[in-house]
Amino acid sequence: MALDTVSIAQNNPDTSQPFAELGLKPDEYARIKEILGRRPTSSELAMYSVMWSEHCSYKSSKVHLKQFGEKAVKTDALLVGIGENAGVVDVGQGYAVTFKIESHNHPSFVEPYQGAATGVGGIVRDILTMGARPIAVMDPLRFGPADAADTRRVLPGIIAGVGGYGNCLGLPNIGGEVVFDETYIGNPLVNALCVGVMKHSDIKLAKAAGAGNLVVLYGAKTGGDGIGGVSVLASETFESSGPAKRPAVQVGDPFVEKVLIECSLEIFAEDLVVGIQDLGGAGLSCATSELASGGSGGMKVELDRVPLRDATLSPEEILMSESQERMCAIVEPKNIARFLEICKKWDVTVTVIGEVTDGERLEITWHGDLIVDVPPRTVAHDGPVYNRPLAKPEYVDRVNAETVSVPRPKTADEIKATVLKLAATPNLADKSWVTSQYDRYVQGNTIQSQPDDSGMVRIDEKTHLGVAVATDANANWSYLNPYEGAKLALAEAARNIATAGAKPLAVTNCLNFGSPEDPGVMWQFAESVRGLADGCLEMGLPVTGGNVSFYNQTGAVAILPTPVIGVLGVIDDVRTRTPMSFDRAGLDLYLLGETADDIAGSEWAYMHGQRGGSAPVADLQREMRLIELLVAGRTSKIFTAAHDLSQGGLSASLTEMVLRYHVGADIKVENVEIALISETPGRVIVAIEPVVKEQLLALAKKHEIVITRLGTTGGQDLVINGAIIPLEELRKAHSETFPKLFG
Amino acid sequence: MAKIVVDVMLKPEILDPQGVAVSAALPRLGFNFAKSVRQGKRFEIEVEGEPTPVQLAEVEKAAETLLANPVIETFTVRVEK
Amino acid sequence: MAKIVVDVMLKPEILDPQGVAVSAALPRLGFNFAKSVRQGKRFEIEVEGEPTPVQLAEVEKAAETLLANPVIETFTVRVEK
Amino acid sequence: MKVGVVTFPGTLDDRDAARAATNAGTTSISLWHGDADLKGVDAVILPGGFSYGDYLRCGAISRFAPVMEKIIDAANGGMPVLGICNGFQVLCEAHLLPGALTRNHELHFLCRDQKLEITNNKTSWTTSFSMGQEVVIPLKNGEGSFQCDDATLATLEGEGRVIARYVGENPNGSRNKIAGITNERGNVVGLMPHPEHAIDTLTGPTADGLGFFTSVLKALVK
Ligand SMILES: Nc1ncnc2c1ncn2[C@@H]1O[C@H](COP(=O)(O)OP(=O)(O)O)[C@@H](O)[C@H]1O
Ligand SMILES: [Mg+2]
């Protein structure tokens, strides 16, 4: 097996290389040659090809994403911004919180269980890498139609994978989404979010500073995971002696990750690392080049020291391997003995693979031969940047002009039938078949989880400081108007934090789209980013990080534009949160916010095969006033309960409220044919003791929010304009759907 | 009545966390015979009478679609006395 | 190098929900050959050279103490070519 | 009174068990799986989690940990030992309790608020409850189905050694809806649901679980 070294590359400039098979364009290949002043070695080619891929380099999205920095409001709360593994925000009392979403869409289609499991594992390592203890996870998911064969194949595996990995790590799952739509057939979306907490002084960064410091690889051994593409290289360049076909599937070992977390936190607590990076996409290529370029640039690595699970791996494959549960740390020599000792305590495999140098090049050797000699910045950060053509797709004006025609419930029978249908439709049905597979209690700090508007965890057991997180995306609205859709998702996520009385602080996002090579998709993407950036600017919330997933597309059909927005909020005392529902009779119910005839993009329209009309326009000033009202109402203890209105409108929200503690309500609304099903944004139902009515009205007036009395709580029925829906019947409709579909 | 056995193992290149855990536990208990351990599944299927070639072909099919996940696993089908 | 196989199955009187689930799934997929299905575990242990009787006795011991739980499971040990 | 809480690699609910023991008025001491040392504790909790990933069988690998030798000796000498979830599985694998925990009959991990009936209030861990008292505490596991042979079941039932039973639908296929059992002497208890997650209504469905921890305090001071 011939090794391609730097000197061979110098002496044989004309050797043909499979750059196209590795996904590089001719001009990208030419640029690599220009950077190096010679052809790359096969190892260098492997590194550049994965690091310059869409997934790692953000080459199609970069020009748009930079708005998040440019338009951002300056806030002292942001301790670490975009660019690191995850952003970090100050939540007070000396605590910092980090959170981020990442996608694992394609792997979850290929192997649902492992794809979803390793998606959770990856985002948890990103959070750990910042120096934080991971404290909770969430999983926004999208699937094809609930009764489609493909959905039956992927959904159970994905749910089991999210649970299997998260449960074994001891991370409470505090929320997520399960949404069905035809466009996700063949393109399920598995987004995973993790939240972590640390003290300010514990923040860690991905940088390799200080010549002589050691490069330490610890965690799982390296195998041939996720390097399907690179084996092209191995087989083209060499007569490969290893297994011909490397698996593109990565398999996770949550036990190893759990031990890695505890081991790392013990190492952090003793302040034994200078810099740290997890190994995710692009494995060692990414970790070494990012660490080196985060420091002065110089690093030497002896690749043959990497502990292998499969002895037949070639150096190219080792550089690319996406084996899970690995971390790379920069450690001062004086600390290495203690570092190794802690790894030994936790039975974690650990190897010194190199050292930081005072040069500016990343040099990697294989049994003494130099196989990589590159300026690390060129690998990690100077990838190609594309300003891809974009064009407003033809469908937009056409569908915006359509009028939505759906049945309008007016009579008592129609009202009852509508409420029951909405309660049972897969997008709105009870998700406990899913969430009961997730541990929500572990760590003993979970204050809210599904089906609450947001997840909430306590981070200090003495002061009861806590954080709340919600994720949202309304792909129907994004399809009709991606700019407004992104803003509306942001507003909804923020509102979901605020109903509990927490104050929104920071934003993360996972932008799931079709192919960036399609100008229409690129337009959807650009509009979504612009909408989110404008929205965050207006609401004064920083974007702390995120992830882009392109190529979610089957043939010519792209998924609906699905920007999943996560908002993190803080609450000074979790004991004072406003619960999502009421547990007793005799309370008064009010609707905060006005209802218009917003049927376009609604669940009721979707259920009737309608995907036309115009999306609502986000009024973020009003959203902010509503948020202030909700936070103020919590601190002055006015609310007994508060619940957001979103998909399924008033009908769905009332259903969720009365079923939560099995206490009914008697409601009267005007224009029921609109009020019941409209999805006008910026609305919340609150429950109060009748005695605080005047305080509530004053609060609404102060914040200029329209308020309408809906009715009272109590009884064993949900009664709407005289239509009686027994709670038992409603519960049956709501809870039967998932067990029937997925058993 | 006969017994058809389907053995399902992870492909050799796929990480087998369970096998790794067993490999690590054996020496701690003083057992040093194992160079490596892989853990898989075994299905024992009872069928009426002697299995016919048609039936065995069906079992192969079932193994491929249900019992094993061909993305990460291999399987063998055999009749056991 | 030889391979020792340890098969572990739940005792017949112990409920095997995985086997039951497979039994139920097969006919839904149009497979009607199975009278019953039981699911167990298969361990493939690689050892250096030909296994000696002493080694096999050790494997038996390991199966009894670690690989199987005699309260609910039975096991067999054999050398596979 | 000192209650030891064991951490194996992969243990998850150790902090929660320690918090519960502390809230009940005991001092919690953390015990490391690799140390054959009980640090002078008066009782031991084996908490929930996925020790060693729960690969092979839940609890099968952990039961050989050095700390377990000491715990087995101490338990046989009468020290109160509570195994919760994974800890229950470890106690069965260690033969301190009969039977075994197997896959839930629905084959899924199941997390839910579970109603239980306390059916023995004489053990070291259950005296704070009244006979027949119904409590609600979280159940969360993938392998919580209690199985044993008929003779063992008859013994357990005959000697009143079932300490808690699921109320309502059987969540996992356990024989006789068994949620927890004790040894002959009543000092060793295994329980599938998690009382340490029901110590206050802020973070749990109820505070019913606290009774297990106050019971052991009473057992120790008497
Ligand atoms: N949609 C986005 N919005 C904001 N930041 C983003 C987005 N997508 C990626 N980023 C940021 O770009 C950086 C690189 O992302 P990524 O390569 O996914 O990081 P990692 O490899 O650590 O997961 C990160 O700081 C990430 O937060
Ligand atoms: Mg990262």
Side-chain angles (χ1 to χ4, degrees):
Chain A
M1 167 148 154
L3 184 70
D4 193 20
T5 66
V6 169
S7 69
I8 293 175
Q10 259 151 1
N11 297 331
N12 303 277
D14 300 324
T15 307
S16 90
Q17 295 187 285
F19 65 86
E21 287 85 337
L22 292 169
L24 288 167
K25 300 274 177 323
D27 56 324
E28 292 173 347
Y29 180 59
R31 235 190 96 211
I32 296 168
K33 283 181 155 172
E34 192 187 315
I35 289 167
L36 298 176
R38 57 172 165 80
R39 76 157 171 89
T41 65
S42 56
S43 296
E44 290 165 340
L45 183 63
M47 287 180 82
Y48 279 104
S49 70
V50 294
M51 288 300 288
W52 287 13
S53 69
E54 186 63 61
H55 178 69
C56 293
S57 75
Y58 290 83
K59 55 188 169 190
S60 303
S61 54
K62 243 182 199 166
V63 293
H64 301 283
L65 296 180
K66 62 176 198 276
Q67 292 172 64
F68 293 146
E70 291 164 359
K71 290 183 183 169
V73 277
K74 296 289 157 265
T75 151
D76 292 340
L78 190 61
L79 301 174
V80 176
I82 293 181
E84 278 290 334
N85 286 296
V88 182
V89 283
D90 179 12
V91 294
Q93 300 181 12
Y95 286 104
V97 167
T98 175
F99 78 132
K100 188 178 170 195
I101 319 188
E102 214 158 62
S103 61
H104 226 214
N105 303 340
H106 187 66
S108 304
F109 173 70
V110 175
E111 212 314 281
Y113 185 95
Q114 294 297 342
T118 53
V120 173
I123 190 64
V124 169
R125 282 195 302 283
D126 262 340
I127 294 307
L128 174 65
T129 301
M130 298 308 298
R133 172 176 280 284
I135 55 168
V137 294
M138 294 176 104
D139 59 326
L141 309 174
R142 300 287 184 285
F143 301 98
D147 54 3
D150 185 56
T151 304
R152 270 182 225 272
R153 177 184 71 89
V154 300
L155 185 141
I158 285 172
I159 304 300
V162 169
Y165 208 99
N167 294 344
C168 189
L169 289 187
L171 291 176
N173 186 304
I174 59 168
E177 300 166 67
V178 180
V179 179
F180 303 95
D181 183 273
E182 298 75 52
T183 62
Y184 303 116
I185 286 197
N187 301 285
L189 302 185
V190 175
N191 293 180
L193 178 150
C194 182
V195 195
V197 64
M198 70 199 111
K199 288 290 190 175
H200 287 188
S201 52
D202 294 336
I203 297 174
K204 300 281 179 290
L205 300 178
K207 62 175 206 295
N213 287 344
L214 303 169
V215 181
V216 183
L217 181 66
Y218 68 112
K221 290 183 181 173
T222 300
D225 306 62
I227 52 175
V230 185
S231 39
V232 176
L233 188 87
S235 58
E236 288 237 350
T237 319
F238 318 106
E239 319 83 78
S240 167
S241 60
K245 192 111 175 63
R246 302 295 191 189
V249 179
Q250 304 142 24
V251 173
D253 184 342
F255 169 64
V256 167
E257 179 130 319
K258 168 64 182 168
V259 170
L260 193 61
I261 291 172
E262 298 303 331
C263 175
S264 298
L265 290 172
E266 206 166 311
I267 286 166
F268 298 163
E270 295 189 25
D271 207 8
L272 301 178
V273 305
V274 176
I276 186 150
Q277 172 70 299
D278 60 303
L279 275 72
L284 267 172
S285 294
C286 178
T288 54
S289 63
E290 286 192 352
L291 279 166
S293 66
S296 59
M299 182 183 287
K300 274 199 163 80
V301 170
E302 294 176 48
L303 198 62
D304 45 283
R305 290 204 185 185
V306 171
L308 299 182
R309 200 173 82 222
D310 172 354
T312 67
L313 290 181
S314 70
E316 295 85 351
E317 290 173 320
I318 296 168
L319 280 168
M320 294 311 99
S321 162
E322 295 190 351
S323 281
Q324 302 290 297
E325 294 99 20
R326 298 178 298 162
M327 303 279 279
C328 192
I330 305 298
V331 183
E332 287 180 52
K334 70 173 174 15
N335 289 328
I336 189 68
R338 181 64 190 139
F339 190 107
L340 299 179
E341 207 169 273
I342 295 176
C343 287
K344 181 150 192 262
K345 170 182 167 190
W346 288 99
D347 213 358
V348 166
T349 305
V350 52
T351 319
V352 175
I353 60 167
E355 66 174 51
V356 179
T357 65
D358 49 18
E360 285 167 6
R361 298 186 76 89
L362 170 61
E363 296 162 284
I364 300 179
T365 57
W366 181 252
H367 295 289
D369 289 317
L370 189 64
I371 55 168
V372 171
D373 181 4
V374 297
R377 255 205 92 73
T378 64
V379 179
H381 299 293
D382 299 343
V385 174
Y386 292 137
N387 217 328
R388 293 201 187 269
L390 41 92
K392 185 171 173 183
E394 154 288 317
Y395 81 84
V396 178
D397 291 334
R398 179 169 47 79
V399 300
N400 283 173
E402 284 169 18
T403 43
V404 188
S405 102
V406 291
R408 297 286 189 159
K410 285 204 189 69
T411 67
D413 284 351
E414 288 166 357
I415 291 170
K416 179 175 176 182
T418 302
V419 171
L420 289 173
K421 259 192 208 161
L422 280 165
T425 198
N427 280 341
L428 301 178
D430 179 10
K431 303 294 188 303
S432 41
W433 184 87
V434 171
T435 56
S436 66
Q437 298 186 47
Y438 303 153
D439 185 346
R440 60 180 178 275
Y441 285 113
V442 67
Q443 295 197 8
N445 287 312
T446 305
I447 310 299
Q448 290 184 177
S449 58
Q450 316 88 329
D452 297 330
D453 287 338
S454 61
M456 185 184 289
V457 282
R458 177 175 63 182
I459 61 179
D460 188 300
E461 292 187 31
K462 294 212 170 63
T463 67
H464 293 278
L465 177 69
V467 294
V469 186
T471 70
D472 276 294
N474 187 319
N476 290 324
W477 285 343
S478 283
Y479 171 78
L480 298 175
N481 185 336
Y483 178 80
E484 294 299 333
K487 278 188 170 181
L488 290 164
L490 170 69
E492 185 178 338
R495 200 184 319 124
N496 280 326
I497 298 295
T499 48
K503 187 177 166 316
L505 258 197
V507 174
T508 184
N509 64 87
C510 192
L511 306 175
N512 304 277
F513 286 81
S515 167
E517 294 162 40
D518 174 339
V521 169
M522 209 52 218
W523 177 83
Q524 293 174 332
F525 178 79
E527 285 293 286
S528 301
V529 172
R530 189 169 69 87
L532 180 58
D534 286 353
C536 287
L537 181 62
E538 189 169 354
M539 295 185 76
L541 299 171
V543 175
T544 63
N547 176 253
V548 177
S549 172
F550 279 132
Y551 298 103
N552 295 291
Q553 177 137 0
T554 307
V557 183
I559 59 164
L560 297 179
T562 313
V564 174
I565 314 298
V567 173
L568 176 107
V570 64
I571 177 163
D572 53 7
D573 184 344
V574 295
R575 291 170 302 181
T576 66
R577 83 200 177 283
T578 308
M580 173 202 132
S581 192
F582 41 84
D583 58 1
R584 57 187 183 273
L587 302 171
D588 283 342
L589 292 171
Y590 287 86
L591 178 67
L592 299 173
E594 251 167 315
T595 305
D597 194 4
D598 285 307
I599 299 296
S602 70
E603 191 60 31
W604 190 244
Y606 174 70
M607 286 166 68
H608 292 89
Q610 305 265 318
R611 188 165 266 158
S614 295
V617 172
D619 182 345
L620 297 182
Q621 290 301 319
R622 193 181 62 202
E623 295 280 1
M624 284 154 66
R625 294 198 307 274
L626 178 61
I627 288 168
E628 274 173 36
L629 186 166
L630 291 165
V631 175
R634 187 268 300 179
T635 36
S636 52
K637 302 194 171 63
I638 292 177
F639 302 138
T640 309
H643 185 36
D644 162 64
L645 269 71
S646 58
Q647 282 83 357
L650 185 70
S651 175
S653 292
L654 286 172
T655 297
E656 289 156 5
M657 283 184 106
V658 296
L659 292 184
R660 186 66 208 270
Y661 301 112
H662 212 77
V663 175
D666 192 343
I667 304 295
K668 275 207 182 50
V669 289
E670 284 174 25
N671 300 327
V672 69
E673 71 282 4
I674 293 172
L676 197 61
I677 52 177
S678 163
E679 297 187 5
T680 306
R683 296 180 301 158
V684 167
I685 300 175
V686 293
I688 58 160
E689 293 286 357
V691 293
V692 298
K693 175 181 170 191
E694 292 310 321
Q695 276 170 274
L696 174 64
L697 296 182
L699 201 59
K701 183 154 184 229
K702 177 176 170 208
H703 292 94
E704 297 170 54
I705 296 295
V706 174
I707 181 163
T708 323
R709 187 160 189 283
L710 288 173
T712 52
T713 68
Q716 286 297 298
D717 307 296
L718 171 60
V719 183
I720 301 175
N721 287 11
I724 299 170
I725 307 148
L727 295 189
E728 286 306 340
E729 197 178 343
L730 188 57
R731 179 176 305 285
K732 188 160 179 289
H734 193 48
S735 59
E736 262 182 7
T737 306
F738 271 70
K740 267 195 184 153
L741 283 164
F742 304 107
Chain B
M1 218 160 55
K3 188 155 77 183
I4 303 179
V5 173
V6 181
D7 287 323
V8 177
M9 299 298 293
L10 283 167
K11 290 181 182 168
E13 66 272 21
I14 297 281
L15 173 67
D16 170 17
Q18 313 205 59
V20 172
V22 173
S23 295
L26 285 171
R28 283 201 301 271
L29 301 183
F31 297 112
N32 296 305
F33 51 79
K35 273 201 57 191
S36 83
V37 181
R38 307 274 297 170
Q39 180 175 336
K41 293 176 199 154
R42 172 185 167 90
F43 296 91
E44 295 187 356
I45 304 170
E46 273 190 25
V47 297
E48 207 69 75
E50 267 319 287
T52 60
V54 174
Q55 223 170 24
L56 281 174
E58 280 238 287
V59 176
E60 285 271 346
K61 193 102 214 313
E64 207 180 303
T65 46
L66 180 70
L67 304 181
N69 173 0
V71 177
I72 51 173
E73 293 170 327
T74 57
F75 64 88
T76 59
V77 173
R78 67 204 150 78
V79 181
E80 202 160 89
K81 302 293 140 181
Chain C
M1 220 156 58
K3 188 154 78 182
I4 302 179
V5 173
V6 180
D7 287 324
V8 176
M9 298 299 291
L10 282 168
K11 290 183 180 167
E13 67 271 24
I14 298 285
L15 175 71
D16 170 19
Q18 310 194 81
V20 171
V22 172
S23 294
L26 285 170
R28 282 203 301 271
L29 299 177
F31 299 112
N32 296 306
F33 51 77
K35 274 202 52 187
S36 83
V37 182
R38 306 276 298 169
Q39 180 175 336
K41 295 177 195 151
R42 171 185 167 93
F43 297 90
E44 294 187 355
I45 303 171
E46 272 191 24
V47 298
E48 208 69 75
E50 269 315 288
T52 59
V54 175
Q55 224 172 21
L56 281 174
E58 279 238 288
V59 176
E60 285 272 347
K61 191 103 211 311
E64 204 180 303
T65 47
L66 182 69
L67 302 182
N69 176 357
V71 175
I72 49 168
E73 294 168 326
T74 58
F75 65 89
T76 59
V77 174
R78 65 204 151 81
V79 181
E80 200 160 272
K81 299 297 138 182
Chain D
M1 288 300 128
K2 294 193 283 185
V3 175
V5 176
V6 180
T7 301
F8 298 100
T11 292
L12 305 178
D13 298 305
D14 43 354
R15 287 184 198 87
D16 307 81
R19 185 193 293 122
T22 308
N23 284 13
T26 68
T27 306
S28 76
I29 305 283
S30 107
L31 302 177
W32 182 244
H33 73 109
D35 297 338
D37 178 3
L38 295 187
K39 297 186 182 168
V41 298
D42 306 295
V44 170
I45 299 174
L46 298 171
F50 291 78
S51 55
Y52 292 96
D54 273 355
Y55 298 134
L56 186 57
R57 284 183 317 281
C58 303
I61 298 180
S62 358
R63 84 102 153 153
F64 292 104
V67 77
M68 281 306 297
E69 273 170 47
K70 298 285 172 192
I71 291 174
I72 292 170
D73 287 349
N76 288 331
M79 181 187 277
V81 176
L82 172 65
I84 304 168
C85 194
N86 196 219
F88 187 4
Q89 294 160 341
V90 173
L91 292 175
C92 289
E93 285 283 342
H95 306 305
L96 284 172
L97 292 174
L101 283 312
T102 62
R103 269 307 267 283
N104 293 349
H105 66 347
E106 305 267 10
L107 302 176
H108 296 145
F109 185 95
L110 179 65
C111 174
R112 76 169 196 202
D113 300 339
Q114 178 67 48
K115 193 183 273 186
L116 303 175
E117 181 192 357
I118 302 295
T119 49
N120 174 338
N121 68 346
K122 302 279 179 320
T123 76
S124 307
W125 299 90
T126 54
T127 53
S128 294
F129 300 99
S130 52
M131 268 310 266
Q133 185 177 339
E134 290 197 345
V135 298
V136 173
I137 65 181
L139 177 71
K140 54 180 186 95
N141 58 62
E143 309 204 3
S145 176
F146 181 80
Q147 299 296 324
C148 61
D149 58 33
D150 293 344
T152 308
L153 189 65
T155 309
L156 286 173
E157 294 289 2
E159 296 175 359
R161 284 166 52 195
V162 175
I163 65 118
R165 243 184 265 276
Y166 302 114
V167 175
E169 199 189 341
N170 191 333
N172 51 25
S174 285
R175 295 202 76 176
N176 291 10
K177 293 189 177 179
I178 289 174
I181 57 172
T182 185
N183 62 350
E184 271 172 70
R185 197 164 169 171
N187 62 314
V188 178
V189 166
L191 184 69
M192 257 352 258
H194 290 256
E196 80 283 16
H197 290 306
I199 58 165
D200 70 43
T201 52
L202 182 64
T203 54
T206 64
D208 294 348
L210 209 53
F212 288 90
F213 307 94
T214 54
S215 296
V216 78
L217 182 64
K218 282 194 268 172
L220 294 175
V221 294
K222 79 158 191 258

